[in-house]
Amino acid sequence: VGNYKRTVKRIDDGHRLCNDLMNCIHERARIEKVYAQQLTEWAKRWKQLVEKGPQYGTVERAWCAFMSEAEKVSELHLEVKGSLMNEDFEKIKNWQKEAFHKQMMGGFKETKEAEDGFRKAQKPWAKKLKEVEAAKKAYHAACKEEKLAISRETNSKADPALNPEQLKKLQDKVERSKQDVLKTKEKYEKSLKELDNATPQYMENMEQVFEQCQQFEEKRLRFFREVLLEVQKHLDLSNVASYKNIYRELEQNIKTADAVEDLRWFRANQGPGMSMNWPQFEEWSADLNRTLSRREKKKASDGVTLTGINQTGDQGSQPHKHSSSLSVQSNTVQSVQSSYNPFEDEEDTGSTVSEKEDNKIKNVSSYEKNQSYPTDWSDEESNNPFSSTDANGDTNPFDEDTPPAMEVRVRALYDYEGQEQDELSFKAGDELTKMENEDEQGWCKGRLDNGQVGLYPANYVEPIQ
């Protein structure tokens, strides 16, 4: 009696399971969205790094193909997110609303109907069961009383102090207890027989209500299976033709990379095959006067400056990515010389030592394609650009020791993006260390918190009080 409540509770559990499934799908949709956004951001950042970096030719196009793949896959995952929320999530929500009807007093109509059906089917049988329990209790009590009376009678026979009248009372007590045992036993057997006779009808009625609950649960189970299959179809990108095409196209782009072609292009545009502009005698002209750059002003030596060098070919058609003039760009992507590390995830708390060593990769594009190279030269060993240890860009030209006494903490007032390799890039509000005072041209030497050393405009910062 009362065990039907497990079946009734299953109806309430079904409503809660709908909520659980919706939450499950909602979380997966959020993951798909975040993954798509991260792919897009990754592709945008690395596309700029590769385009500005020293890689060229067909290998550059093959490398950039990975960024194109990420952008396309990002679009597909956004479509997955939309399908999960707009189709699967809404379908469960609507089905739950149609299958479960809330009552004014709380609970669901379906739960109350099942509860009432079971209680009504069980009530007659439960009443007879209660009578059987009462009859059994009375029968067992009579048996206990009979045993006690017989024991007293037996003990009294051995006691010479008892008179015949007291002995007669004990014998009468034994006789009455035997009669009570027979009556209660008969009543117990009769009530038990009635219960047995009512059991088939009770089972039939309970079975009928139970089957109704089974049918309701079957609808939910079949619906869940249907929804899960649809979710599987939305998540399975392996059967999406466009997804396969993305990687087929990526493979083709990588296979088109041709080392021989890239070397031929570099020879023709950057090597011996490039168009030369050999020095020739030139008459002085006022038009040749030009504003000296910051670096030229700082040089104390008087040297010969070549002013008319032009390059032809593909290299000449590309705009220069460095400028010697001072400008402030507030909405541009920071130079790779900045402190930003493309491999450092904001939420990554499990970085290993080897991952932290990858911070050096932030200088991946320290030598950009169209940077201007110094024209000063010397046959002295100390000025040979190919004999220094920073041929691979591993060292910083400003790494010399600076007396600690001159270091002052300053805060940036404006955004500044370094225009040349030896300049720092920072945002307004960033803090850095000034290592040398302002020179004649208004430049200071400083160090960012990530260890990068370089120049910056003195009027772009203020001392930290």
Side-chain angles (χ1 to χ4, degrees):
V1 174
N3 281 338
Y4 63 82
K5 292 185 181 297
R6 295 175 297 186
T7 305
V8 175
K9 182 177 178 295
R10 191 173 60 174
I11 299 176
D12 294 334
D13 291 342
H15 184 272
R16 190 177 71 251
L17 288 170
C18 288
N19 290 333
D20 291 343
L21 184 55
M22 284 191 289
N23 290 335
C24 178
I25 292 175
H26 183 263
E27 287 186 15
R28 178 59 185 264
R30 187 166 63 248
I31 292 173
E32 295 288 337
K33 180 181 178 181
V34 171
Y35 179 54
Q37 291 174 342
Q38 290 178 341
L39 279 178
T40 302
E41 293 170 0
W42 174 85
K44 181 179 178 181
R45 184 170 69 248
W46 276 99
K47 188 174 183 180
Q48 292 171 341
L49 290 175
V50 173
E51 288 177 349
K52 292 174 65 178
Q55 184 56 59
Y56 56 91
T58 58
V59 174
E60 178 188 3
R61 289 194 293 272
W63 192 345
C64 288
F66 281 99
M67 276 62 90
S68 300
E69 170 265 343
E71 292 172 347
K72 294 175 183 177
V73 172
S74 174
E75 294 177 359
L76 289 179
H77 282 281
L78 284 178
E79 292 179 4
V80 171
K81 175 255 179 186
S83 299
L84 292 176
M85 291 303 299
N86 299 331
E87 297 180 27
D88 303 329
F89 185 90
E90 290 298 324
K91 185 173 183 178
I92 301 171
K93 184 178 179 181
N94 294 332
W95 185 89
Q96 183 191 44
K97 188 176 181 180
E98 295 174 358
F100 299 89
H101 302 84
K102 291 186 176 181
Q103 297 184 120
M104 294 288 292
M105 301 301 293
F108 300 104
K109 176 184 175 183
E110 291 71 22
T111 303
K112 188 176 184 304
E113 289 177 351
E115 178 80 27
D116 293 344
F118 278 120
R119 188 183 295 111
K120 182 179 179 181
Q122 197 171 70
K123 188 175 181 180
W125 191 85
K127 183 179 179 181
K128 292 185 180 298
L129 178 63
K130 192 175 181 180
E131 292 175 355
V132 169
E133 292 294 333
K136 182 178 74 172
K137 185 177 180 180
Y139 169 68
H140 289 175
C143 291
K144 182 179 179 181
E145 188 65 28
E146 179 190 20
K147 183 178 180 181
L148 185 61
I150 293 174
S151 177
R152 287 174 180 173
E153 180 191 12
T154 304
N155 293 334
S156 64
K157 290 180 179 180
D159 188 2
L162 290 178
N163 53 40
E165 184 178 351
Q166 291 176 330
L167 186 59
K168 181 77 165 79
K169 287 182 179 181
L170 291 175
Q171 291 175 350
D172 292 342
K173 182 68 174 176
V174 171
E175 197 65 31
R176 285 196 303 270
S177 61
K178 288 183 178 181
Q179 293 178 2
D180 289 341
V181 168
L182 293 175
K183 289 180 181 179
T184 54
K185 182 179 181 181
E186 182 181 355
K187 187 175 181 180
Y188 179 31
E189 291 176 344
K190 181 180 179 182
S191 60
L192 191 59
K193 186 176 181 180
E194 290 177 354
L195 181 67
D196 291 340
N197 294 335
T199 297
Q201 183 63 41
Y202 159 68
M203 292 182 63
E204 182 180 348
N205 294 339
M206 292 292 285
E207 183 83 16
Q208 184 177 357
V209 181
F210 181 78
E211 281 302 320
Q212 293 175 356
C213 294
Q214 287 286 84
Q215 292 174 7
F216 184 81
E217 178 68 5
E218 182 183 8
K219 292 179 182 179
R220 186 191 68 81
L221 294 174
R222 291 185 180 277
F223 172 74
F224 269 41
R225 181 179 183 274
E226 176 185 347
V227 170
L228 292 174
L229 282 174
E230 293 182 6
V231 171
Q232 179 268 332
K233 291 178 182 178
H234 292 148
L235 294 177
D236 186 8
L237 294 178
S238 63
N239 291 325
V240 179
S242 57
Y243 189 73
K244 295 180 180 179
N245 292 336
I246 291 174
Y247 293 99
R248 189 178 297 112
E249 181 180 349
L250 175 61
E251 182 183 5
Q252 292 173 353
N253 286 329
I254 296 174
K255 288 183 176 179
T256 56
D258 188 343
V260 175
E261 172 62 23
D262 289 351
L263 294 174
R264 185 200 62 77
W265 177 91
F266 192 86
R267 178 183 179 87
N269 293 275
Q270 303 285 354
M274 67 183 294
S275 178
M276 299 297 182
N277 189 355
W278 300 109
Q280 297 178 358
F281 179 82
E282 297 180 11
E283 288 288 351
W284 177 87
S285 173
D287 294 339
L288 294 178
N289 290 338
R290 59 187 178 88
T291 303
L292 293 178
S293 67
R294 171 180 55 77
R295 283 185 175 178
E296 290 167 339
K297 284 182 179 181
K298 291 175 66 179
K299 292 180 180 177
S301 61
D302 294 333
V304 179
T305 303
L306 301 181
T307 60
I309 297 178
N310 293 321
Q311 296 180 356
T312 61
D314 296 341
Q315 181 72 7
S317 64
Q318 297 180 359
H320 285 285
K321 297 181 182 180
H322 282 287
S323 173
S324 60
S325 62
L326 174 63
S327 63
V328 180
Q329 301 178 6
S330 59
N331 294 323
T332 57
V333 178
Q334 288 190 351
S335 168
V336 188
Q337 302 298 326
S338 68
S339 60
Y340 184 79
N341 184 350
F343 290 105
E344 186 170 297
D345 194 338
E346 294 177 358
E347 298 178 358
D348 186 8
T349 58
S351 298
T352 61
V353 176
S354 61
E355 289 172 341
K356 293 179 180 178
E357 287 295 325
D358 288 342
N359 290 344
K360 298 178 181 178
I361 303 178
K362 64 187 177 183
N363 293 322
V364 64
S365 297
S366 57
Y367 292 98
E368 298 188 0
K369 295 177 182 175
N370 298 316
Q371 67 180 354
S372 57
Y373 293 88
T375 57
D376 294 343
W377 64 278
S378 172
D379 57 358
E380 295 181 3
E381 190 67 25
S382 60
N383 291 330
N384 187 346
F386 298 101
S387 64
S388 63
T389 58
D390 61 347
N392 293 324
D394 292 336
T395 60
N396 192 316
F398 298 101
D399 280 344
E400 64 269 12
D401 295 334
T402 303
M406 299 184 61
E407 295 186 353
V408 179
R409 293 292 288 176
V410 294
R411 180 183 293 107
L413 296 172
Y414 318 102
D415 295 350
Y416 180 70
E417 183 175 351
Q419 303 299 308
E420 298 188 19
Q421 275 192 312
D422 60 353
E423 296 179 12
L424 299 177
S425 297
F426 47 76
K427 295 291 185 181
D430 289 351
E431 296 183 3
L432 58 150
T433 302
K434 183 174 75 171
M435 301 174 61
E436 292 182 4
N437 292 328
E438 178 181 355
D439 61 13
E440 296 177 357
Q441 288 75 36
W443 292 83
C444 287
K445 182 178 178 181
R447 181 177 64 247
L448 296 177
D449 290 342
N450 67 347
Q452 184 183 355
V453 180
L455 301 177
Y456 63 88
N459 58 351
Y460 273 55
V461 301
E462 63 176 359
I464 298 177
Q465 301 298 332

